[in-house]
Amino acid sequence: MPDESDMRAYSDAAGSRSSDSETLADLELELPDRRAGKVRISWQLPDARRLFVTTDRLSAFDRVVAVVPWKGQILNELAAWWFERTADIVPNHVLSLPDPNALIAVNAIPLPVEVVVRGVITGVTDTSLWRRYDDGARVIYGYRLPDGLRKNEILPAALITPTTKAEAGGHDEPLSVTDVVTRGLIEPTLWSQVCDAALAVFARGQRLAANAGLILADTKYEFGLSPEGQLLLIDEVHTPDSSRFWETASYEARMSSGEEPESLDKELVRQALQQAGYAGDAALPDLDPAVWVQTSVRYRQAFERITGSAFRPGGTPIADRITSNLRTAGVL
C-alpha cells in the first residue's frame, strides 16, 4: 500500500501535471481513421498496421471519470511486458513501442465479445459476479453457484464470463459461454480457441502475479483476427485497468475480518464512486483528490511489483514527446 513518502511525491506530481500539456487526456495526429475509446486512441498506418496511444484517462462504470498522472505510460509498458510473456500461449498484435505511451500493432479485426475471466467472486458493478450473487442469483453467466459464498472468496476454478461490447455511453451485456455461439457472435471452433487461450493466459498471469506477492483476482481480455485470419490477443493484458490485483500477504486476515482486500488497481475508484451513490447513470460526484493520487501510486506500484523494474516516467509535455518519437520512428 502507498506509504507517506509515496503519497507526498505523487500528490506533488499530480498537482504539477494537472494541465493538458502535462497529463495526456487526448491527442490529435495527422493520420487517417482516428478512433477514440475510453482510454486509447488509434489511427490507421500503412501495411496493415495500427497506431495506439494510451492516454491518462481512467474509466469506471463504462464512463471516463478522471485523468490520472502516468497511467497511460504504465498501462502501455506493463501490457507490453505481459504480451511478451504470454506470446507462447497465443500470438498478440504487438509490433513495436515507439514511445512509452504508444504501440504499433497489427491491424486486427476485434471479436465482438469481451472475455472476462474470474478467479474470485467479487465486484460492485451490475455485471460482477458478487453483485448478482448478493442480489440472490445462483445461476450467473450460465454457471450454477452454491449458497454460502463470501465476497472476495477464491473460486475452485476460473470462470469465463463474457460480455458484449457496448457502444460509447452504453453498458456491457452479460453473456454465458453458450450465448456467444448460439447468438452467432463467434463461430464454435474459434470460440473454443479463444476460451482455451484465455484460461491459459489467466493461469500464467496468476503464477507470475503470485511471484510478486499478488493475487490476480480477475481480468478482461480482447481477441481479434489478423488480416490473414490468425487469432491474436489484442488491446492490453493484466494491467490495473483490466485486472484486479490483491495483496497476498494480507488477504486471509482481511477475509476473516470482513475487510476488502488490499488492491493495486482501480477498485479504489469504483468503491469511492459507489459510496458516493454513483451507479453510472448520473452526474459524476466530486471525490476526494486523494483518491486520484492513491490510484496513481497503486498503478506505479503494480508495475514495479509485477515487472521487478523501477518505473521511469517519460518526458513532458507528453503530447510533444509522443509526436517527436513518432517522427523519429517514421510514423509521421
Side-chain angles (χ1 to χ4, degrees):
M1 298 298 291
D3 61 27
E4 290 185 6
S5 62
D6 275 333
M7 292 295 292
R8 285 195 298 270
Y10 274 72
S11 181
D12 291 344
S16 68
R17 293 186 48 163
S18 60
S19 72
D20 289 343
S21 65
E22 298 299 320
T23 54
L24 189 67
D26 205 353
L27 184 66
E28 296 290 342
L29 298 173
E30 293 184 3
L31 291 170
D33 191 27
R34 183 184 192 273
R35 302 179 189 179
K38 297 185 187 77
V39 175
R40 289 172 180 79
I41 311 167
S42 70
W43 295 263
Q44 181 65 48
L45 297 179
D47 303 320
R49 299 174 301 153
R50 197 159 187 91
L51 169 68
F52 293 86
V53 169
T54 306
T55 71
D56 291 328
R57 299 193 297 254
L58 184 144
S59 68
F61 294 93
D62 292 320
R63 289 184 60 181
V64 174
V65 298
V67 178
V68 176
W70 298 304
K71 176 178 173 291
Q73 179 181 343
I74 289 171
L75 260 59
N76 194 56
E77 294 184 336
L78 182 56
W81 189 91
W82 280 111
F83 276 126
E84 182 180 352
R85 283 154 183 80
T86 56
D88 62 312
I89 298 172
V90 59
N92 58 65
H93 70 163
V94 177
L95 295 174
S96 65
L97 268 68
D99 178 88
N101 285 67
L103 165 72
I104 296 177
V106 175
N107 188 19
I109 301 171
L111 298 181
V113 170
E114 290 186 345
V115 184
V116 181
V117 182
R118 304 179 190 269
V120 303
I121 181 167
T122 191
V124 298
T125 65
D126 291 338
T127 58
S128 69
L129 278 183
W130 177 252
R131 176 78 173 270
R132 300 173 70 188
Y133 186 89
D134 194 40
D135 287 342
R138 290 298 178 267
V139 178
I140 309 173
Y141 290 98
Y143 302 102
R144 180 169 292 279
L145 302 179
D147 291 332
L149 294 179
R150 297 177 297 161
K151 186 182 182 186
N152 303 324
E153 184 173 341
I154 295 175
L155 297 167
L159 304 179
I160 294 178
T161 60
T163 69
T164 59
K165 293 182 180 181
E167 298 295 329
H171 296 284
D172 298 337
E173 176 190 353
L175 300 168
S176 71
V177 170
T178 303
D179 287 338
V180 174
V181 174
T182 58
R183 294 192 186 186
L185 297 173
I186 302 176
E187 63 91 13
T189 300
L190 178 59
W191 178 234
S192 178
Q193 294 172 359
V194 168
C195 291
D196 289 346
L199 290 174
V201 172
F202 188 73
R204 178 73 55 81
Q206 287 180 308
R207 180 171 63 81
L208 294 180
N211 293 341
L214 298 171
I215 296 168
L216 174 59
D218 55 29
T219 196
K220 177 183 69 177
Y221 302 123
E222 294 205 34
F223 290 86
L225 297 177
S226 73
E228 297 76 29
Q230 181 184 34
L231 179 66
L232 299 176
L233 184 59
I234 64 172
D235 193 47
E236 66 174 35
V237 186
H238 299 162
T239 74
D241 254 21
S242 62
S243 311
R244 286 184 178 91
F245 290 101
W246 295 343
E247 293 281 2
T248 303
S250 60
Y251 170 75
E252 292 294 345
R254 284 181 168 254
M255 282 290 289
S256 297
S257 64
E259 295 179 273
E260 289 295 311
E262 292 183 272
S263 66
L264 293 180
D265 51 53
K266 65 178 179 181
E267 188 65 12
L268 171 74
V269 175
R270 295 191 191 98
Q271 291 173 357
L273 289 170
Q274 186 187 45
Q275 290 166 6
Y278 182 75
D281 52 3
L284 286 167
D286 291 329
L287 298 182
D288 187 327
V291 170
W292 312 118
V293 176
Q294 291 175 22
T295 300
S296 184
V297 172
R298 290 176 188 213
Y299 273 58
R300 192 280 311 262
Q301 289 184 330
F303 175 92
E304 295 186 339
R305 290 274 295 278
I306 292 167
T307 67
S309 300
F311 173 67
R312 304 186 185 282
T316 58
I318 299 174
D320 292 348
R321 187 201 71 216
I322 292 172
T323 301
S324 176
N325 285 335
L326 291 177
R327 287 199 182 101
T328 300
V331 175
L332 297 178

